[in-house]
Amino acid sequence: MKAPRVTLDQWRTLQAVVDHGGFAQAAEVLHRSQSSVSYTVARMQDQLGVPLLRIDGRKAVLTEAGAVLLRRSRQLVKQASQLEDLAHHMEQGWEAEVRLVVDAAYPNARLVRALTAFMPQSRGCRVRLREEVLSGVEEVLLEGVADLAISSFNIPGYLGTELSTVEFVAVAHPDHPLHRLKRELHFQDLESQLQVVIRDSGRQQPRDVGWLGSEQRWTVGSLATAAAFVGSGLGFAWLPRHLIERELKEGVLKPLPLNQGGNRHPVFFLYANKDKPLGPATQILVELLQTFDTAPLDAPFAAPQQA
């Protein structure tokens, strides 16, 4: 990669000349001599081979090429400043990355709100978000490749912070044979019907969760696939209400009138990696996840303005 001929200091000098209205004013702001500022800009023009400024009366005015290059240089200088800030924050113990693993049944709307609020406070810290199903979350946390985890399981050896519940609803297509019975349903009615279940993404000790009494059972890899199958008339399933709200409103899916167990409300928990102390960025994210966990999913939300 060819080394740049123009330095960041030179771009900063040009910006000061334009922003403050001239060489003398820029020299005062930069605490340099006027001749030094003039030489720096002249040297830039020689190095780039493009005129950046022209003298209009007693004022330096950008040329057309200078305006384009100056505009691009502002982003360059800003990114360099952010890079230096990130290095400083890392020296002070600020993390470069937070790794978050979440059960796929947890509402994305809550995550989006928490992460959106986190961004202006992140100081360049990245978030690596990973979705797993059932014991897959626990497995990732125990392997030490996650800093935070959201799961509906009680993970042995960990003290989780209780979050909200997620409602699961037993549903089928309105034309499904179970709905055509037109009466209250019992578990015995389900036994002869196809049940769609979600595969546990854990590899070590995958678990079966929920009622699995059907003689026929299809296992799929995601909640979205299960919703698509059931919405097409293939079987029935327990699915998170927040994920199928539109299908319920449009009549693509309809809750099964079970006499019991038609709705489930598992509690979710937020866990932290117990073998790694929480850094300041992770602590901020924890607070935001807890804050937005209690917000109604349909509440208006405006993303914070970026600095």
Side-chain angles (χ1 to χ4, degrees):
M1 183 181 295
K2 187 171 72 171
R5 288 174 291 181
V6 179
T7 66
L8 290 171
D9 180 66
Q10 287 175 300
W11 286 119
R12 290 190 182 102
T13 301
L14 177 63
Q15 290 173 17
V17 171
V18 174
D19 293 344
H20 298 284
F23 292 98
Q25 296 89 328
E28 184 177 349
V29 171
L30 297 173
H31 305 290
R32 292 164 56 180
S33 67
Q34 183 174 339
S35 60
S36 171
V37 172
S38 299
Y39 175 78
T40 298
V41 175
R43 177 67 175 154
M44 283 183 70
Q45 295 183 111
D46 291 340
Q47 290 171 312
L48 293 171
V50 176
L52 303 174
L53 296 171
R54 60 180 174 82
I55 302 301
D56 185 0
R58 301 184 63 181
K59 188 174 182 182
V61 180
L62 282 169
T63 63
E64 185 176 341
V68 172
L69 293 173
L70 180 66
R71 185 167 59 251
R72 295 288 295 272
S73 77
R74 292 190 188 279
Q75 186 64 26
L76 179 66
V77 171
K78 180 180 178 181
Q79 289 175 344
S81 178
Q82 290 173 340
L83 186 62
E84 292 171 359
D85 287 344
L86 177 58
H88 173 72
H89 296 319
M90 291 173 67
E91 181 186 10
Q92 302 300 314
W94 196 272
E95 309 94 297
E97 180 179 81
V98 176
R99 301 164 300 173
L100 172 63
V101 59
V102 180
D103 190 294
Y106 188 77
N108 269 336
R110 291 173 183 158
L111 293 176
V112 168
R113 294 179 180 196
L115 293 174
T116 301
F118 175 71
M119 187 180 295
Q121 307 178 58
S122 65
R123 302 184 189 178
C125 176
R126 297 177 299 176
V127 175
R128 188 183 296 272
L129 178 62
R130 177 171 173 176
E131 280 192 334
E132 296 287 342
V133 178
L134 299 173
S135 73
V137 177
E138 175 182 356
E139 200 167 285
V140 171
L141 182 64
L142 294 178
E143 288 172 354
V145 292
D147 302 305
L148 299 173
I150 295 178
S151 172
S152 61
F153 287 166
N154 287 304
I155 300 179
Y158 284 79
L159 292 175
T161 300
E162 186 172 320
L163 299 177
S164 57
T165 62
V166 172
E167 182 184 6
F168 282 73
V169 187
V171 293
H173 189 276
D175 293 331
H176 190 276
L178 288 170
H179 283 303
R180 291 204 295 267
L181 293 175
K182 297 186 182 301
R183 60 170 172 79
E184 185 179 74
L185 301 176
H186 302 268
F187 283 147
Q188 291 83 350
D189 297 312
L190 307 181
E191 291 176 347
S192 62
Q193 301 297 325
L194 171 67
Q195 182 179 1
V196 179
V197 298
I198 318 301
R199 184 182 70 250
D200 189 327
S201 64
R203 301 181 305 277
Q204 303 299 326
Q205 293 181 324
R207 307 180 193 178
D208 291 329
V209 175
W211 186 82
L212 299 170
S214 292
E215 296 176 6
Q216 285 185 293
R217 188 163 71 243
W218 286 7
T219 303
V220 299
S222 72
L223 291 162
T225 300
F229 275 32
V230 177
S232 298
L234 289 171
F236 69 93
W238 274 265
L239 296 171
R241 180 179 287 276
H242 68 86
L243 188 71
I244 57 172
E245 200 67 55
R246 185 178 66 180
E247 287 83 354
L248 290 171
K249 289 180 180 178
E250 294 175 353
V252 176
L253 292 174
K254 183 178 178 182
L256 293 173
L258 285 166
N259 68 327
Q260 60 178 352
N263 298 72
R264 298 172 183 159
H265 299 83
V267 178
F268 279 71
F269 298 88
L270 175 61
Y271 296 96
N273 188 330
K274 65 180 181 179
D275 298 319
K276 178 183 175 183
L278 294 185
T282 308
Q283 291 179 23
I284 290 173
L285 185 54
V286 165
E287 293 173 4
L288 291 172
L289 288 168
Q290 292 174 311
T291 297
F292 287 99
D293 175 73
T294 58
L297 295 178
D298 57 352
F301 174 70
Q305 295 296 314
Q306 295 299 302

